[in-house]
């Protein structure tokens, strides 16, 4: 008798579930499909399933129009001087592990593109000034015997040469100012 009752209850539950499924509208099914995550079976060892994920991501991607924000031959929307400042900001941050990097203002004095008359090779000469508020910050940025400033300059110059694909002469100076409007 117990088995018959349990069988009847299971049958009733199945009927109830079937009745509930029949009542879902197209919109509800669509919403349910959106809410439930898609499961992908992949194998890194066999390189299996990667195409499925990529195709799924492509279907989720927002299509864009034919106009591009940045032309294909352009790397960034930043000006050359902004790029120099960004490289220097990174080098200052890496070389100075105190709160000083946030108190350094950068002033570009000159950015010149020149050609060597003998070789015809183009080069860039950059004069840049790092402005700090206190003498102690100035000493920290310079370092002992200007070692820190030289390290900032050398690593930034190397990155700028790779960035601009030509020789770069970077002249870095540290200046102390008390005036708030200079900062």
């Amino acid at each position: 008798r117990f088995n018959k009752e349990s069988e009847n209850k299971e049958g009733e539950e199945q009927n109830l579930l079937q009745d509930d499924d029949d009542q879902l509208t197209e919109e509800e099914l669509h919403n349910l499909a959106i809410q439930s995550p898609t499961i992908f079976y992949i194998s890194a060892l066999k390189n299996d399933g990667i195409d499925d994920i990529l195709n799924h991501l492509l279907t989720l991607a927002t299509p864009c129009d034919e106009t591009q924000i940045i032309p294909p031959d352009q790397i960034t929307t930043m000006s050359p001087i902004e790029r120099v400042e960004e490289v220097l900001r990174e080098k200052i941050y890496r070389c100075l592990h105190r709160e000083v990097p946030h108190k350094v203002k950068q002033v570009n004095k000159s950015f010149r593109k020149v050609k060597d008359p003998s070789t015809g090779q183009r080069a860039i000469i950059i004069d840049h000034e790092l402005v700090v508020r206190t003498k102690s910050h100035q000493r920290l940025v310079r370092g002992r015997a200007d070692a820190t400033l030289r390290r900032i300059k050398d690593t930034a110059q190397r990155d700028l040469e790779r960035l601009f694909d030509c020789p770069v002469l970077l002249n870095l100076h540290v200046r102390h100012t008390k005036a708030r409007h200079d900062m």
Side-chain angles (χ1 to χ4, degrees):
R1 183 172 175 206
F2 180 72
N3 288 340
K4 286 185 179 181
E5 284 180 16
S6 64
E7 286 176 13
N8 282 340
K9 285 183 182 178
E10 286 176 12
E12 288 173 12
E13 286 176 12
Q14 286 178 352
N15 287 339
L16 289 175
L17 289 175
Q18 287 174 350
D19 290 343
D20 287 345
D21 285 343
D22 291 340
Q23 293 176 359
L24 291 176
T25 64
E26 278 289 320
E27 183 179 341
E28 291 171 331
L29 284 172
H30 178 71
N31 290 339
L32 186 62
I34 290 173
Q35 291 173 0
S36 62
T38 306
I39 298 172
F40 296 98
Y41 296 97
I42 61 169
S43 170
L45 294 175
K46 297 178 183 176
N47 199 18
D48 185 32
I50 305 295
D51 291 335
D52 297 336
I53 293 175
L54 290 176
N55 289 334
H56 179 70
L57 291 174
L58 282 173
T59 61
L60 297 176
T62 307
C64 64
D65 55 0
E66 293 298 315
T67 60
Q68 296 179 350
I69 297 172
I70 300 174
D73 58 334
Q74 185 178 347
I75 297 171
T76 180
T77 57
M78 294 170 67
S79 71
I81 293 173
E82 289 172 327
R83 292 164 77 183
V84 169
E85 289 175 353
E86 195 61 34
V87 168
L88 280 168
R89 187 175 296 114
E90 177 208 349
K91 300 309 174 189
I92 292 167
Y93 184 78
R94 288 182 187 269
C95 292
L96 303 173
H97 306 291
R98 297 168 184 88
E99 78 178 61
V100 175
H102 308 289
K103 304 224 183 224
V104 176
K105 182 179 181 217
Q106 299 184 41
V107 178
N108 185 285
K109 293 296 184 181
S110 73
F111 184 95
R112 297 178 306 208
K113 295 178 183 178
V114 295
K115 267 194 177 176
D116 184 0
S118 59
T119 63
Q121 185 180 12
R122 73 180 183 105
I124 298 174
I125 300 173
I126 303 168
D127 288 317
H128 211 77
E129 201 169 67
L130 305 176
V131 183
V132 294
R133 272 194 208 144
T134 65
K135 287 275 188 187
S136 62
H137 285 172
Q138 185 179 21
R139 285 191 300 272
L140 285 171
V141 172
R142 281 194 173 153
R144 186 173 297 177
D146 285 344
T148 305
L149 184 63
R150 194 170 28 257
R151 190 169 75 220
I152 292 169
K153 176 188 173 282
D154 291 344
T155 56
Q157 186 169 317
R158 191 172 30 244
D159 283 3
L160 291 170
E161 286 177 349
R162 275 191 296 237
L163 185 68
F164 293 122
D165 196 29
C166 69
V168 172
L169 175 62
L170 177 62
N171 297 314
L172 262 185
H173 309 282
V174 181
R175 180 170 57 94
H176 157 252
T177 184
K178 290 183 183 177
R180 290 246 180 220
H181 65 277
D182 280 352
M183 294 298 289

